Every structure is written in structure tokens, then in C-alpha cells.
Amino acid sequence: MIKNSNLIAEMVDNDIQALKTGTYDPKIDNVNELLRNKCYEKAHQLYGESLPKIVFDRLERELNSITKHGFGVIY
């Protein structure tokens, strides 16, 4: 049982936040380069050393969208 709850409440600063605001994405050095290398490595495993143009174009389009908007760390 808690006694003097109002006293305790008055002792706490009003500007304390239980949770910080904003996003807290992980920070990874060279994340865009790492993602690009991993994606191309997998594409070469699937399609061989010379990627078909349609695969290359799609991979570039997707990677550019991901990295341009800062989502590389999520992948």
C-alpha cells in the first residue's frame, strides 16, 4: 500500500517523459553499401555472374528507393 501518493507526485518533475519521442533506428556504418553488396551477391547466386538487364534494372530501382529514403538499416 502506498501512502502519501500526492507527496510523491509533487516530488517528481513535471518535464519527465516516460518514453522519448522520435524514431530510434539502429545505426550501422556503411549500411547502404552493405545492403547493396548483399543484394548483388544474392542476385549473382540466382542469375549468374552476368545479370539479365531486367533483373539489374529492377534491383537498382528498388535499392535506390530504399537507400534514398533512409530505409537501408531496416533491411
Side-chain angles (χ1 to χ4, degrees), residues 5-38:
S5 58
N6 288 335
L7 178 63
I8 294 171
E10 290 172 4
M11 293 168 53
V12 176
D13 291 335
N14 291 334
D15 61 344
I16 291 178
Q17 296 178 356
L19 300 173
K20 293 181 181 180
T21 58
T23 60
Y24 297 94
D25 301 330
K27 305 290 185 224
I28 302 173
D29 293 334
N30 300 320
V31 68
N32 292 335
E33 183 180 333
L34 294 170
L35 176 64
R36 185 172 292 278
N37 290 342
K38 192 60 135 172

Side-chain angles (χ1 to χ4, degrees), residues 1-72:
M1 177 175 199
I2 297 176
K3 295 181 181 180
N4 294 328
S5 58
N6 288 335
L7 178 63
I8 294 171
E10 290 172 4
M11 293 168 53
V12 176
D13 291 335
N14 291 334
D15 61 344
I16 291 178
Q17 296 178 356
L19 300 173
K20 293 181 181 180
T21 58
T23 60
Y24 297 94
D25 301 330
K27 305 290 185 224
I28 302 173
D29 293 334
N30 300 320
V31 68
N32 292 335
E33 183 180 333
L34 294 170
L35 176 64
R36 185 172 292 278
N37 290 342
K38 192 60 135 172
C39 289
Y40 271 100
E41 180 182 314
K42 183 64 174 179
H44 287 300
Q45 287 175 358
L46 294 171
Y47 298 103
E49 193 57 38
S50 180
L51 296 177
K53 182 171 176 21
I54 193 168
V55 173
F56 176 80
D57 291 344
R58 180 60 183 260
L59 191 55
E60 279 298 310
R61 183 173 49 161
E62 296 292 338
L63 285 172
N64 287 336
S65 293
I66 291 167
T67 58
K68 181 172 75 172
H69 298 291
F71 294 116

